[in-house]
């Protein structure tokens, strides 16, 4: 069992396109009347700052555009004098980590409310942590006043962020999410935020590289930045963040770029000690191995891959390893000096990390080639179905690390299914039924309205063109069993009788066999075709169906026994209804109180065919029968109305069966 403490910071997030227009409203909501506008003076943001200034209008009491990286205290002091001089009562920052850092540094000294309009993906705007530099030394502190009151994310502002910065800033966010997954104080909430962020960043970065104006990709990245930033604010980060702070603080390497280069290597280092987290990252990214997947993602999106290109010299590596291991911090794998030196050396050279031991080879090129081989198919539906079948099967093999012996077993299984299949024994339907696929296809095709009777699977024992029978006929052919009188009505969803409906009925005998399974039986028994009268009705005599095993002397039966599943179906009668102007209905009625209707998965109906509205009373009676037929002892009454859907305008079912 997992125990945890989760605290959510009390910040408000406004997300969307054009949300910069709402900053004034937020200032007023926070009771501000004298705003100080903070920025880093970047020319790229000039227009946005202008827009913000205009939107705030007479609320702007001061402006400071000198925010810089690492939040040096001397810059904060200068801004602080302005705050005091102009009697500022609210801080509005626009930009990335530098502007946010300055707002936080001022807020912790004055307790003023802060609104941050975030234009990068760094995530610091949603953390209560402040990193400052005092005389060149970086210090970090955390306090509730540091957390901005409101964060405004405006996707339109990120359109101007150049692709290289978008990529490195996006990987910075990715790093928060990855390290949150193996943090010692992770919670189900941070797990969920982190995984959502990883998956969305994995999709957005390549999309953005392809088309920098892709608003959806921009929105996904910005939203992920918020989610990943929330992780950063909630849990303690490990090796990766330590290395990045060391490289940034001691060697002046640029923040987001350093994250981008180091992340795959930190992940590869931790992979053996955090296999679960890495498997989840790999799954979220849709790659076989998390660390190499992130490296490839960076490379594909044109991001930096070596510390050398960021300006670190080889001679610095040893000192960096020493600094990064000087103090202990939480990390899944023990941090050793030689381990970190090796890691840094790989990152310096820009090498692709080794996939984690035991991780699957990257088979995506092979899968892509197979999928592309269907590109020439003129039938788009066939192309779609085959492409996805290939992807699904390849994924299945990879996820399960399928061995040649296992795959051969599967081929043998299908071969045996083919050999045992005849005109009256259909092993492939049994396989589809026992794997639940028949019920999935049935559910996708039919049962779409609550006003109509549910459909159910056809099963392998339907025989097209059963003998026509009169109302009141006995279809049991003299077979032993509890007599059953069926009084069946077919109506439309409003209850109007449907006359002239052709209804095929079939069921097993008392021992659970269908006539086609009993070669000695003379002629079709326990199957017939009725036509409803003007009143939508027909009646017949039969016998009470009992539970029965599906044929289990073939490969499907062996599969069931190998997994400890029984082969029984709950007792039922089949109906196939075809009426002009209506959708066909294939269904079954189950005997209420019968076996295999309830219980744990694997103990119920072997083919997952039961639906609640199809379970009905087969009411016991003694004495006079509806048509006056003399019956000794108990007989049962099945009185049921099928409601069938009109065919117009509805999606036509694809599982209708020839009734010639
Ligand atoms: C049947 O109900 O007839 C049936 C359905 C699936 C598998 C075997 C039998
Ligand atoms: Fe059946």
């Amino acid at each position: 069992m997992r125990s945890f403490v989760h605290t959510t910071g009390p910040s408000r997030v406004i997300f969307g396109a054009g949300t910069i227009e709402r900053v004034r409203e937020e200032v007023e909501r926070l009771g501000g009347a004298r705003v100080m506008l903070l920025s880093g003076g970047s020319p790229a943001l000039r227009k946005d700052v202008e827009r913000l200034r205009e939107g705030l209008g007479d609320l702007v009491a001061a402006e400071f555009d000198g925010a810089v990286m690492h939040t040096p205290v001397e810059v904060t002091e200068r801004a602080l004098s302005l705050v005091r001089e102009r009697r500022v009562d609210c801080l509005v920052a626009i930009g990335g980590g530098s502007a946010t850092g300055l707002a936080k540094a001022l807020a912790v000294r004055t307790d003023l409310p802060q609104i941050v309009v975030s234009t990068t993906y760094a995530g610091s705007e949603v953390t209560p942590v402040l990193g400052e530099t005092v005389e060149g030394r970086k210090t970090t502190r955390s306090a509730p006043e540091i957390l901005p009151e409101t964060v405004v994310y405006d996707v339109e502002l990120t359109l101007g962020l150049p692709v290289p910065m978008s990529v490195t800033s996006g990987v910075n966010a990715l790093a928060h999410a990855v390290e949150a997954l193996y943090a010692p104080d992770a919670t189900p909430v941070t797990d969920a935020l982190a995984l959502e962020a990883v998956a969305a960043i994995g999709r957005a970065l390549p999309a953005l590289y392809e088309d920098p104006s892709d608003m959806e990709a921009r929105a996904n990245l910005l939203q992920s930045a918020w989610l990943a930033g929330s992780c950063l604010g909630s849990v303690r980060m490990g090796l990766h963040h330590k290395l990045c702070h060391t490289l940034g603080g001691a060697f002046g390497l640029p923040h987001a770029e350093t994250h981008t280069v180091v992340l795959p290597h930190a992940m590869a280092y931790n992979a053996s000690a955090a296999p679960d987290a890495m498997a989840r990252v790999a799954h979220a990214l849709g790659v076989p191995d998390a660390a190499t997947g992130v490296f490839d993602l960076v490379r594909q999106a044109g991001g930096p891959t070596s510390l050398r290109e960021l300006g670190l010299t080889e001679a610095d590596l040893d000192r960096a390893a020493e600094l990064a291991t000087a103090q202990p911090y939480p990390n899944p794998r023990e941090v050793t000096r030689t381990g970190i030196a090796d890691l840094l050396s790989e990152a310096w050279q820009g090498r692709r990390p080794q996939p984690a031991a035991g991780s699957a080879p990257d088979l995506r090129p092979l899968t892509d080639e197979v999928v592309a081989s269907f590109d020439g198919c003129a039938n788009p539906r066939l192309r779609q179905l085959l492409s996805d079948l290939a992807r699904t099967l390849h994924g299945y093999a990879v996820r399960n690390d399928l061995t040649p012996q296992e795959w051969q077993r599967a081929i043998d299984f299908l071969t045996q299914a083919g050999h045992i299949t005849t005109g009256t024994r259909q092993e492939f339907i049994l396989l589809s039924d026992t794997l639940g696929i028949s019920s999935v296809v049935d559910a996708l095709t039919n049962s779409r309205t609550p006003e109509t009777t549910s459909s159910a699977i056809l099963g392998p024992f339907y025989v097209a063109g059963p003998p026509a029978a009169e109302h009141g006929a006995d279809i049991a052919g003299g077979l032993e069993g509890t007599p059953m009188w069926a009084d069946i009505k077919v109506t439309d969803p409003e209850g109007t009788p449907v006359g002239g409906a052709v209804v095929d009925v079939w069921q097993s005998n008392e021992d659970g066999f269908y006539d086609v399974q009993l070669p000695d039986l003379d002629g079709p028994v326990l199957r017939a075709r009725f036509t409803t009268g003007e009143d939508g009705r027909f009646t017949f005599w039969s016998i009470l169906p009992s539970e029965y095993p599906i044929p289990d002397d073939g490969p499907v039966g062996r599969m069931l026994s190998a997994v400890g599943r029984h082969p029984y179906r709950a007792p039922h009668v089949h109906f196939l209804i075809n009426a002009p102007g209506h959708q066909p209905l294939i269904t079954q009625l189950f005997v209420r109180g019968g076996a295999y209707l309830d219980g744990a998965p694997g103990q119920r109906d072997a083919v997952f065919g039961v639906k609640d509205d199809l379970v009905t009373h087969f009411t016991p009676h003694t004495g006079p029968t509806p048509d006056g037929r003399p019956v000794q002892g108990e007989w049962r009454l099945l009185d049921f109305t099928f409601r069938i859907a009109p065919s117009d305008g509805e999606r036509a079912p694809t599982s209708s069966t020839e009734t010639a």
Side-chain angles (χ1 to χ4, degrees), residues 55-91:
L56 288 168
D58 56 352
L59 297 184
V60 180
E63 198 166 333
F64 186 91
D65 65 2
V68 291
M69 253 198 329
H70 305 310
T71 323
V73 280
E74 25 331 333
V75 175
T76 304
E77 293 299 337
R78 275 196 282 129
L80 191 59
S81 331
L82 201 57
V83 165
R84 297 207 168 112
E85 188 186 308
R86 304 280 170 89
R87 288 175 291 109
V88 166
D89 62 8
C90 184
L91 303 167

Side-chain angles (χ1 to χ4, degrees), residues 14 29 85-86 115 136 220 231 265 291 301 346 367 376 449 469 485 493 495 505 546 613 618 628 649-650 659:
I14 298 178
R29 203 184 63 82
E85 188 186 308
R86 304 280 170 89
I115 299 170
N220 276 331
C231 294
H265 298 280
E346 296 284 297
T367 302
T449 71
W485 172 256
V505 179
S546 61
D613 68 316
F618 287 59
E650 302 275 333
T659 55

Side-chain angles (χ1 to χ4, degrees), residues 306-357:
S306 72
L307 292 175
R308 177 170 33 193
E309 71 194 276
L310 302 187
L312 193 72
T313 67
E314 200 168 10
D316 291 332
L317 291 178
D318 204 39
R319 169 124 179 86
E322 186 194 329
L323 288 174
T325 49
Q327 273 154 18
Y329 48 88
N331 191 60
R333 184 174 158 197
E334 193 193 347
V335 176
T336 62
R337 174 88 183 260
T338 49
I340 299 310
D342 288 348
L343 182 167
L344 286 172
S345 159
E346 296 284 297
W348 188 79
Q349 294 174 70
R351 290 237 186 98
R352 186 176 190 260
Q354 287 298 314

Side-chain angles (χ1 to χ4, degrees), residues 81 154 289:
S81 331
D154 188 338
D289 175 71

